[in-house]
């Protein structure tokens, strides 16, 4: 499966990460959280980023001036795919828990809101993508469900309400669901919580198909074009800007054979 990995530069670490004193291990490198997405055309609508609070992340050297935050598993895949220098090497500079990363301020590549916060998402899978998920609640029902839950119970989830303050941003319109496809589906399928996996799987399936086959861009350089046309163009622009790169996820067979 071919993902686009989005590079979200760390602007200001959370208090727990600052207290870990990892700066010397990073040796002046720019650090990016790296989020795997299938929908680069929606990046204009990022409102935050998610990590699994109990997942372990590494900070991995990309070369001598950059480092990526992601799971070890995805760093190893990146090494195989020639992302790191020296080639093939996985050089872990620091380890962080998702819980520690929450509250970090990062740049949202191509985002209409240029800087956003990292929030916790309990349903992030350690075994998919990079373990980091960029959040587009206008078009991702999972993201909208988690954002809604976090806003209702900020204290319980140990987040500052202002970290979850950005509302869904219209990015594309579909004839059936309008400018905010995910919130519309959340409502019509009566999603109750982020753990409502059956309704959310159905909502995600509909949102993918509706956006891809019937969506029209509302914002950005390809405004007015169909999503089908804009998708590869936005992706190419992000890669050209140094804010994204291709990332292939080995299928289940490859994983079980090599581990
Ligand atoms: C931004 C985005 C915007 C996404 C959207 C989706 C949608 P799939 O289809 O199952 O392969 N994702 C990536 N990694 C993880 C993870 N480790 N755990 C949980 N979710 C993850 O899933 C690919 C999508 O799932 C990715 O694309 C990412 O969210 C999320 F408007 O990135 B996406 C209708 C979906 N819309």
């Amino acid at each position: 499966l071919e993902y686009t990995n989005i590079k979200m530069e760390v602007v200001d670490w959370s208090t727990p990460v600052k207290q870990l004193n990892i700066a010397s291990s990073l040796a002046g490198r720019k650090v990016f959280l790296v989020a795997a997405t299938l929908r680069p055309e929606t990046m204009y609508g990022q409102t935050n980023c998610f990590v699994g609070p109990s997942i372990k992340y590494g900070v991995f050297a990309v070369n001598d001036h950059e480092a990526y935050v992601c799971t070890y598993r995805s760093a190893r895949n990146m090494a195989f795919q020639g992302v790191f220098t020296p080639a093939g090497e996985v050089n872990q500079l620091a380890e962080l828990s998702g819980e520690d990363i929450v509250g970090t301020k990062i740049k949202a590549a191509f985002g209409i809101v240029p800087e956003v916060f990292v929030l916790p998402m309990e349903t992030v899978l350690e075994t998919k993508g990079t373990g980091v998920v960029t959040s587009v609640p206008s078009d991702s029902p999972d993201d909208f469900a988690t954002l809604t839950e976090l806003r209702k119970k900020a204290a319980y989830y140990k987040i500052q309400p202002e970290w979850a303050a950005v509302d869904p941003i219209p990015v594309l319109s579909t004839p059936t669901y309008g400018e905010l496809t995910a919130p519309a589906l959340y409502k019509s399928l009566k999603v109750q919580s982020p753990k409502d996996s059956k309704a959310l799987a159905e909502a995600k399936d509909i949102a993918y198909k509706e956006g891809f086959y019937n969506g029209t861009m509302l914002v950005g350089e390809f405004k007015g074009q169909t999503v089908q046309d804009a998708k590869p163009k936005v992706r190419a622009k992000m890669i050209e800007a140094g804010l994204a790169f291709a990332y292939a996820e080995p299928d289940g067979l490859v994983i079980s054979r090599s581990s």
Side-chain angles (χ1 to χ4, degrees), residues 77-101:
N77 287 336
M78 286 177 210
F80 279 126
Q81 291 168 40
V83 174
F84 300 151
T85 311
E89 255 178 50
V90 177
N91 176 12
Q92 181 166 332
L93 305 171
E95 184 178 280
L96 302 170
S97 72
E99 201 175 9
D100 287 338
I101 302 170

Side-chain angles (χ1 to χ4, degrees), residues 1 3-4 6 35-43 46 55 57 71 73 121 123-143 172 181-182 185 200 203-209 249:
L1 196 55
Y3 287 96
T4 303
I6 307 297
T37 184
L38 292 174
R39 302 207 56 190
E41 78 283 5
T42 67
M43 293 300 105
Q46 295 173 85
I55 294 177
Y57 295 87
T71 57
R73 189 194 137 272
M121 181 189 238
T123 54
V124 171
L125 300 169
E126 214 272 336
T127 51
K128 183 157 106 179
T130 58
V132 177
V133 180
T134 192
S135 172
V136 186
S138 56
D139 291 277
S140 165
D142 289 304
D143 297 351
L172 55 95
T181 295
L185 283 163
L200 282 168
K204 179 172 168 174
D205 190 49
I206 297 170
Y208 267 132
K209 289 187 178 133
E249 187 93 304

